[in-house]
Amino acid sequence: MAAVFEATVTAPVNIAVIKYWGKRDSTLILPTNSSLSVTLSQDHLRTRTTIRASPTFDRDRLWLNGAEEDVSASKRLVNAITTARRLRAEVEKQQTDAVPLSQWPVHVSSENNFPTAAGLASSASGYAALVSALAALFELPQSASELSRVARVGSGSACRSMFGGFVAWQAGVAADGSDSLAVQVADHTHWPELQALILVVSDRKKTVSSTAGMQTTVETSALFPERVRAVVPGRMEAMQKAIAERDFATFAALTMQDSNQFHAVCLDTYPPISYMNDTSRSIAALVHAFNAAVGRTAAAYTYDAGPNAVIYALESDMRDLVELFAYCFPRAEDTAPDAFYPNPLGLFESPASVG
Ligand code: DP6
């Protein structure tokens, strides 16, 4: 029997509260601004990835949720695997008796425990799981922050899924991307009362991908440079302070303002991009009405490159919010049973864990 080496890991989904939108280098995936996210519980949303390496495999192969994909068609996938192999080659150079895994083809099998069609950031957990699995298989000595640079070349937001809790992606200034990496701002035990609720407004695939959309924004939006220069740096600081102090009202206001500005910049893109639909806007209005009714900022919404809402609230308010959303937005007859998550999702799973 030929040798087969194998590793299995899981990695979580993250939802940004200060959005990443815009690249200054689209090959290395270097962002125009820093961003900050909250990692969601892996009980509800995670990618599980198994990687096998063997000298008997004839080429790299990948299965996503059971269906085979063409590895060579994805430059990013090839980049991520090649970068991890390079790090493994360094290990092999130092330990002369190490198995030459860097030279063996790999078979990758990756599955999400949530419907990919739900429009959640599956590329983030997907690339984080891929890189964590390669790191486990190759026994790489790099830290999670160092490995986040490898996940970043797969998909920008993936670098933040290398950690649980609250995570900042520092934009960095170096042309080679060496300082563009994720760091943990606070771990998953820091604010256990904070919860997230995902409202699936549509499970259709988005019309403009994040990659294409942000490129057009960088090229055409006049508001965008102002956001990058004058808004995001201050918000990054204020958000980290709000998290450190568990100040929900400030956390929530900043989250909603940053989501709104991101979507404003999308509308200012030419041709304009509108990810939110009428239902998304009604949900945002309902959150503001709820906050006004209770007399404090008790809930926040945020939207990525699609119409689905993520609602943040403290555990003590979540039940009321779930009832309110279920009452105002009853599930349509033809929606998949798991298209609306009726239970608040506990947050803050630990980082990608080796299974
Ligand atoms: C709106 O990370 O999917 O979700 O780097 O091109 O793969 P690429 O883009 P991606 O963009 C995510 C954009 C966002 C905001 C965020 O997650 O910060």
Side-chain angles (χ1 to χ4, degrees):
M1 266 273 294
V4 178
F5 285 73
E6 177 181 315
T8 297
V9 306
T10 61
V13 166
N14 74 77
I15 303 291
V17 288
I18 303 292
K19 303 293 187 194
Y20 148 53
W21 195 251
K23 296 182 181 68
R24 62 176 203 276
D25 181 318
S26 50
T27 308
L28 292 173
I29 310 201
L30 302 180
T32 48
N33 60 266
S34 296
S35 56
L36 202 147
S37 60
V38 178
T39 297
L40 302 191
S41 162
Q42 293 196 44
D43 293 347
H44 300 272
L45 305 165
R46 56 112 186 103
T47 299
R48 167 170 282 130
T49 295
T50 298
I51 305 199
R52 293 195 175 91
S54 169
T56 63
F57 295 162
D58 63 342
R59 66 198 151 94
D60 292 338
R61 295 175 73 181
L62 165 76
W63 290 262
L64 284 186
N65 296 317
E68 184 160 11
E69 307 269 325
D70 179 6
V71 174
S72 56
S74 168
K75 226 172 71 192
R76 291 166 170 221
L77 195 61
V78 172
N79 272 354
I81 297 175
T82 308
T83 310
R85 277 201 176 112
R86 218 175 288 136
L87 297 175
R88 170 66 190 180
E90 282 168 25
V91 172
E92 290 167 12
K93 222 190 299 167
Q94 271 155 28
Q95 303 169 19
T96 41
D97 59 340
V99 181
L101 293 172
S102 66
Q103 291 161 39
W104 296 359
V106 291
H107 285 180
V108 181
S109 167
S110 197
E111 274 178 20
N112 297 329
N113 68 343
F114 54 93
T116 304
L120 299 162
S122 58
S123 69
S125 55
Y127 274 104
L130 174 79
V131 170
S132 303
L134 285 167
L137 179 73
F138 291 166
E139 296 180 335
L140 299 180
Q142 278 77 13
S143 67
S145 265
E146 288 166 329
L147 290 171
S148 78
R149 287 191 298 232
V150 188
R152 193 200 71 221
V153 304
S155 179
S157 54
C159 71
R160 299 186 310 238
S161 274
M162 297 298 287
F163 292 95
F166 300 84
V167 187
W169 174 10
Q170 297 170 344
V173 291
D176 66 355
S178 51
D179 58 354
S180 184
L181 42 74
V183 294
Q184 190 177 54
V185 168
D187 76 11
H188 68 287
T189 61
H190 173 68
W191 200 356
E193 300 81 17
L194 185 67
Q195 296 193 323
L197 173 73
I198 295 169
L199 303 176
V200 178
V201 169
S202 163
D203 58 7
R204 285 206 207 115
K205 220 173 129 49
K206 51 193 165 200
T207 45
V208 182
S209 73
S210 309
T211 307
M214 66 176 81
Q215 184 57 30
T216 317
T217 299
V218 171
E219 285 161 11
T220 63
S221 167
L223 289 183
F224 176 71
E226 193 60 11
R227 163 172 169 74
V228 168
R229 188 189 61 79
V231 181
V232 174
R235 265 187 200 160
M236 282 294 291
E237 256 182 54
M239 184 59 95
Q240 290 183 58
K241 184 165 179 281
I243 291 167
E245 293 171 358
R246 297 188 200 88
D247 170 358
F248 184 79
T250 306
F251 169 87
L254 289 167
T255 296
M256 292 188 279
Q257 284 166 349
D258 204 68
S259 174
N260 292 340
Q261 187 175 73
F262 154 50
H263 290 279
V265 156
C266 286
L267 271 189
D268 187 50
T269 298
Y270 191 80
I273 309 169
S274 56
Y275 288 121
M276 291 170 68
N277 65 18
D278 286 349
T279 308
S280 323
R281 282 186 284 274
S282 304
I283 291 169
L286 188 60
V287 168
H288 286 293
F290 179 83
N291 288 341
V294 297
R296 62 199 160 86
T297 310
Y301 52 78
T302 186
Y303 300 81
D304 281 339
N308 300 330
V310 175
I311 307 294
Y312 287 112
L314 296 179
E315 195 180 358
S316 47
D317 289 311
M318 198 48 111
R319 179 183 284 270
D320 288 347
L321 283 159
V322 170
E323 279 176 15
L324 183 67
F325 289 123
Y327 178 77
C328 295
F329 301 97
R331 187 188 301 184
E333 288 288 307
D334 59 350
T335 356
D338 52 0
F340 173 75
Y341 293 89
N343 298 312
L345 303 174
L347 288 182
F348 315 137
E349 215 25 53
S350 46
S353 54
V354 180

